[in-house]
Amino acid sequence: MNAPVAAKDVEDTAVQSVLRKLAIVWTEFEGALESTELIRRLNRGQLRLEDYQAFLINLRQQVVDGACWISRAASNISEDHFDLRSTLISHAATEHRDYRMLEENFVVTGGSRDVIRSAPKNPGSEALSAWMFHTASKPDPFEMIGAMFIIEGLGSTKAAGWGRAVADQLGLETGAVSFLLYHGENDADHMQEFEAMLRMLPLDAELEERIVTCARVTGRLYAMQIGDML
């Protein structure tokens, strides 16, 4: 699978450099995902209903936090980078209700809304959330775009295929996998937004390294979250 974005048709040398390094991080992340038990079962056609319900429960807790850490990052962007701040705020507003789709998917599969709402984060989700809020709380946390590369890239390259595979293996209607299908359709636009935000940054070697490191850490913690779902 190709990385979510490519360096072609991008004129800015600094942006090209970041994208090339992020493509390497993506390959590492993809390999970590494929080694988790949940994704192995999905890829082998062996997914069980309880596996998918565990996925919905655990992912909801991370998605609830998602718009919050984006908003936190936006609040710490200085006035000199007002356009980037505005873009992040708009992005958070677009996604802050997404967790409700996960709740609906869980209910459609026979789960209780109270169960999915009250479930605690798994250890990987706790670590991911702590990392996100820690980084978003820094002054001008430009490196958070690396985290967005991982999470939005997952939606644009994996979500739709996962959704179709889940529906096929478990005999579910699309209403049970709407979160995955929705993000597969819409996160491609978010990746275009990602490239636009990358061009808003005051890129230099130090910031480039921060972005790549943030993406790598986020990828490892996200894979840990998936690994802790079963």
Side-chain angles (χ1 to χ4, degrees):
M1 177 70 69
N2 293 330
V5 294
K8 62 181 180 180
D9 301 326
V10 180
E11 295 181 357
D12 189 285
T13 301
V15 171
Q16 288 186 34
S17 178
V18 173
L19 292 176
R20 284 194 296 268
K21 291 179 180 179
L22 287 176
I24 295 171
V25 173
W26 179 262
T27 300
E28 297 170 355
F29 172 54
E30 193 173 39
L33 276 180
E34 299 295 322
S35 70
T36 64
E37 181 61 24
L38 179 68
I39 302 305
R40 280 201 298 261
R41 290 183 188 180
L42 181 64
N43 290 340
R44 294 172 181 170
Q46 299 173 342
L47 197 73
R48 304 169 301 181
L49 179 61
E50 54 265 37
D51 298 333
Y52 179 53
Q53 289 180 327
F55 170 80
L56 295 172
I57 288 173
N58 287 277
L59 192 62
R60 177 199 179 275
Q61 319 313 357
Q62 177 244 303
V63 170
V64 168
D65 282 352
C68 297
W69 65 254
I70 295 173
S71 297
R72 174 79 62 85
S75 72
N76 285 304
I77 298 292
S78 61
E79 190 174 356
D80 291 341
H81 304 281
F82 187 84
D83 288 345
L84 178 60
R85 183 200 299 176
S86 296
T87 301
L88 289 171
I89 291 171
S90 176
H91 189 88
T94 299
E95 298 201 340
H96 79 283
R97 295 186 182 91
D98 283 2
Y99 71 91
R100 293 181 179 177
M101 280 190 282
L102 290 163
E103 292 180 1
E104 292 302 322
N105 291 169
F106 187 69
V107 170
V108 169
T109 64
S112 163
R113 200 177 302 273
D114 289 340
V115 168
I116 192 170
R117 286 180 173 175
S118 62
K121 293 184 180 77
N122 70 43
S125 296
E126 289 282 12
L128 177 62
S129 182
W131 162 251
M132 293 297 201
F133 281 109
H134 164 73
T135 307
S137 299
K138 298 177 181 179
D140 282 331
F142 299 135
E143 62 265 43
M144 293 301 289
I145 198 169
M148 296 179 72
F149 169 81
I150 292 294
I151 295 173
E152 301 297 343
L154 190 61
S156 68
T157 66
K158 297 289 188 182
W162 285 356
R164 289 190 294 268
V166 169
D168 181 62
Q169 291 178 34
L170 300 179
L172 299 174
E173 299 294 332
T174 57
V177 293
S178 61
F179 177 89
L180 290 170
L181 298 181
Y182 168 82
H183 281 275
E185 179 178 345
N186 289 276
D187 282 7
D189 291 338
H190 291 171
M191 293 312 298
Q192 293 177 357
E193 184 179 71
F194 164 83
E195 289 196 41
M197 286 190 289
L198 196 56
R199 293 187 181 92
M200 296 177 191
L201 299 178
L203 287 172
D204 57 18
E206 187 269 339
L207 178 53
E208 178 180 309
E209 185 60 29
R210 283 164 51 198
I211 292 169
V212 172
T213 297
C214 185
R216 179 168 282 116
V217 173
T218 301
R220 290 183 181 180
L221 294 176
Y222 203 105
M224 179 181 174
Q225 171 184 245
I226 297 292
D228 286 342
M229 288 183 177
L230 298 182

